[in-house]
Amino acid sequence: MEKVSEAVGAVVRETITVTDNVTGKSLELPVFHATEGPRVADIRRLYRDMGILTYDPGFTSTASCESEITFIDGDEGVLLHRGYAIEDLAEKSDFLEVCYLLLYGSLPNAAEKADFEQTITMHTMVHEQMRTFFSGFRRDAHPMAIMVGVVGAMSAFYHDSTDIHDPHQRMVASHRLIAKMPTIAAMAYKYSIGQPFLYPRNDYSYTENFLHMTFEVPCADKPISPVLSRAMDRIFILHADHEQNASTSTVRLAGSSGANPFACIASGIASLWGPAHGGANEAVLNMLNEIGSKDRIPEYLQKAKDQNDPFRLMGFGHRVYKSYDPRAAVLKKSADEVLDELGVRHEPLLELAMELERIAQEDEYFQDRKLFPNVDFYSGIILRATGFPVSMFTVLFALARTVGWIAQWMEMIEDPVQKIGRPRQLYTGKRRRPYVPLDQR
Ligand code: ACO
């Protein structure tokens, strides 16, 4: 048996038979062969034909969609975007090229690259009224709170790109989001420190422009360091997409109802904010500061291992990676180099992090559970050295992940199989019972 399913592009080569031991009924389910990774059983007929739902909290065994964008092999520590290894992209590409790759499916040629850069550059300014919008926030608001609000509000400013059924409008919305995210992120930062907003500049690259709007001031020239710019660009590449993680799934779920792309990306930002997801980079630095010195590492490892203690080693563990996160490997390699070039000769937190990693890796608890450092473990150290406050770390993650969210959102809208996302449940509440009047309760 070999046919291309009518429903999805994956090849069906075999079936799996499910038998209900109560009714004796059997059902043959098609099994899709992915290009890479595990085979996927198509359970769509299970409820219709057998009246049985599947139970999978956290979606640990569920493929929620078909996707051609990103592949992760969690056992081997492999991450591919459109087939290209993250290590190659981090070393040889640049962030806007990776954006093009994720959005359009292939690397651009020179003319396509120049054209895409020009398009993005032309969208970097935000509506002037957005500047006043910021003043509604408290100065001490967390920049992620500002991001959720302002990005959601983009749908109130860019009406001409909210029709999700128009491919041109979808693409314009994608370009706007990628282009304006650094401007909004830099504004959130400037607002929090009481400095004036800076307009974007067309003569800078994407990442230089972000650093310009973040760190420059109108009253003095402060040249952008090429080392810093390259390091930042690499961090953006490493965070650009990551398959069907919590925030991406949130964007897809929000988008499945037909919500506009700006609202969908705002929902992704909200999901990313949590410490189990994008908020972990902030949590790692807070944790390292709390640990403070190498001699306290065993005490904190003990806390992490104690099932009655809610403390977890932040920046360790991953739902999919059961070996070293390849993004963490790239960052670890570049951390020393970046710090050196930034003139940070001795970074105690980096030394503490490396020692923590070393001791944890030798510990049976972490070995047994295959807990390795994830991307957040080293990113915070580099970001802090570049001058960002800890509260901005997750904002930078959101900035970089926007392209992944939008590429996945576009893929979903264009997928003929797409339906509104609507999981079912295993109900364990009360059965139907009569209403009890207030005076009889
Ligand atoms: N510290 C201590 N123990 C851990 C950690 C950790 N960081 N992570 C997992 N464990 C333990 C769990 O307690 C569990 O132990 P048990 O089997 O004895 O009950 C086992 O390892 C498996 O962990 P789960 O929680 O079942 O794994 P899950 O896939 O649900 O969670 C997660 C993954 C949320 C990333 C988790 O590892 C975690 O909380 N890590 C710290 C936060 C973090 O760094 N998040 C960033 C993720 S990467 C990203 O979003 C970019």
Side-chain angles (χ1 to χ4, degrees):
M1 173 182 182
E2 174 152 343
K3 71 179 181 73
V4 175
S5 155
E6 286 154 21
V8 288
V11 175
V12 179
R13 289 212 187 91
E14 68 247 347
T15 58
I16 192 168
T17 304
V18 178
T19 304
D20 182 340
N21 293 331
V22 176
T23 62
K25 241 173 139 180
S26 285
L27 182 65
E28 218 183 339
L29 300 172
V31 175
F32 297 120
H33 274 231
T35 326
E36 303 249 25
R39 294 170 304 151
V40 176
D42 181 353
I43 58 164
R44 283 175 291 179
R45 284 173 47 215
L46 199 60
Y47 178 61
R48 196 193 67 193
D49 293 0
M50 295 186 97
I52 293 176
L53 296 175
T54 54
Y55 177 64
D56 185 17
F59 309 113
T60 55
S61 299
T62 297
S64 61
C65 63
E66 179 190 357
S67 183
E68 297 181 352
I69 302 174
T70 292
F71 171 71
I72 302 172
D73 183 333
D75 295 323
E76 297 297 323
V78 170
L79 170 61
L80 309 178
H81 292 316
R82 304 283 191 186
Y84 295 102
I86 191 67
E87 294 85 352
D88 283 347
L89 294 172
E91 196 194 338
K92 298 168 192 162
S93 188
D94 60 64
F95 182 64
L96 271 196
E97 188 173 77
V98 173
C99 290
Y100 184 99
L101 176 68
L102 290 169
L103 276 183
Y104 296 98
S106 55
L107 287 169
N109 64 28
E112 287 165 340
K113 189 168 195 271
D115 192 45
F116 184 65
E117 284 172 358
Q118 171 72 359
T119 304
I120 297 299
T121 304
M122 288 302 138
H123 278 299
T124 49
M125 281 204 304
V126 293
H127 193 290
E128 195 60 14
Q129 232 175 309
M130 276 196 142
R131 297 169 74 83
T132 48
F133 192 80
F134 272 83
S135 53
F137 291 99
R138 282 171 55 140
R139 286 276 174 194
D140 59 356
H142 194 289
M144 280 299 276
I146 297 182
M147 294 300 286
V148 176
V150 176
V151 173
M154 283 176 80
S155 41
F157 285 92
Y158 302 103
H159 298 146
D160 58 347
S161 52
T162 52
D163 179 357
I164 63 155
H165 303 296
D166 177 347
H168 176 69
Q169 290 203 27
R170 290 204 295 270
M171 202 41 96
V172 172
S174 306
H175 293 158
R176 278 186 169 142
L177 277 157
I178 293 167
K180 294 184 201 304
M181 203 58 87
T183 314
I184 296 171
M187 287 169 92
Y189 173 65
K190 286 295 197 196
Y191 185 74
S192 73
I193 57 169
Q195 285 188 3
F197 298 142
L198 266 77
Y199 287 107
R201 276 180 47 173
N202 291 355
D203 55 336
Y204 282 142
S205 74
Y206 184 87
T207 303
E208 283 170 344
N209 196 26
F210 171 62
L211 294 173
H212 148 73
M213 290 185 288
T214 305
F215 291 124
E216 287 193 50
V217 286
C219 48
D221 280 339
K222 194 174 167 207
I224 307 294
S225 146
V227 175
L228 187 59
S229 172
R230 178 64 197 138
M232 200 70 236
D233 202 75
R234 189 177 291 152
I235 288 179
F236 288 164
I237 292 173
L238 294 174
H239 289 84
D241 191 46
H242 213 228
E243 211 224 55
Q244 309 309 322
N245 54 81
S247 57
T248 303
S249 298
T250 304
V251 169
R252 279 188 180 255
L253 198 55
S256 75
S257 72
N260 76 67
F262 305 109
C264 294
I265 300 304
S267 74
I269 296 173
S271 170
L272 185 76
W273 193 358
H277 191 11
N281 53 15
E282 182 173 343
V284 169
L285 256 247
N286 293 337
M287 176 191 75
L288 290 174
N289 278 321
E290 193 184 316
I291 296 176
S293 60
K294 290 179 187 172
D295 57 305
R296 296 189 66 198
I297 290 175
E299 178 194 333
Y300 278 84
L301 281 189
Q302 210 42 51
K303 272 165 74 67
K305 293 186 311 192
D306 181 354
Q307 295 297 318
N308 298 317
D309 190 324
F311 176 79
R312 283 191 157 197
L313 216 50
M314 299 317 284
F316 261 77
H318 196 274
R319 169 59 60 79
V320 183
Y321 291 121
K322 300 303 168 200
S323 66
Y324 215 97
D325 179 341
R327 304 165 300 169
V330 173
L331 276 179
K332 186 181 178 185
K333 223 168 93 187
S334 58
D336 255 338
E337 172 193 313
V338 170
L339 295 178
D340 206 38
E341 295 201 49
L342 284 171
V344 185
R345 298 273 165 253
H346 171 70
E347 171 49 274
L349 280 193
L350 178 63
E351 284 165 21
L352 183 62
M354 288 170 96
E355 184 64 1
L356 180 59
E357 182 194 333
R358 191 188 65 76
I359 299 178
Q361 302 282 267
E362 285 172 1
D363 193 295
E364 229 173 67
Y365 174 94
F366 291 88
Q367 286 172 355
D368 289 351
R369 289 166 182 76
K370 299 187 174 164
L371 298 169
F372 293 88
N374 58 50
V375 67
D376 292 318
F377 194 65
Y378 287 105
S379 65
I381 292 165
I382 300 182
L383 292 176
R384 201 183 71 143
T386 56
F388 285 102
V390 172
S391 61
M392 277 296 285
F393 292 2
T394 316
V395 173
L396 301 175
F397 194 156
L399 188 171
R401 182 55 58 85
T402 295
V403 64
W405 289 329
I406 204 77
Q408 301 266 356
W409 173 81
M410 294 241 278
E411 185 178 65
M412 179 200 65
I413 301 285
E414 287 161 16
D415 185 347
V417 175
Q418 191 267 324
K419 282 179 194 296
I420 184 167
R422 178 42 171 105
R424 300 299 300 271
Q425 62 175 4
L426 167 62
Y427 178 68
T428 53
K430 294 273 186 275
R431 289 180 190 275
R432 186 176 181 138
R433 50 183 174 160
Y435 178 80
V436 181
L438 188 61
D439 60 351
Q440 293 170 29
R441 280 176 228 157

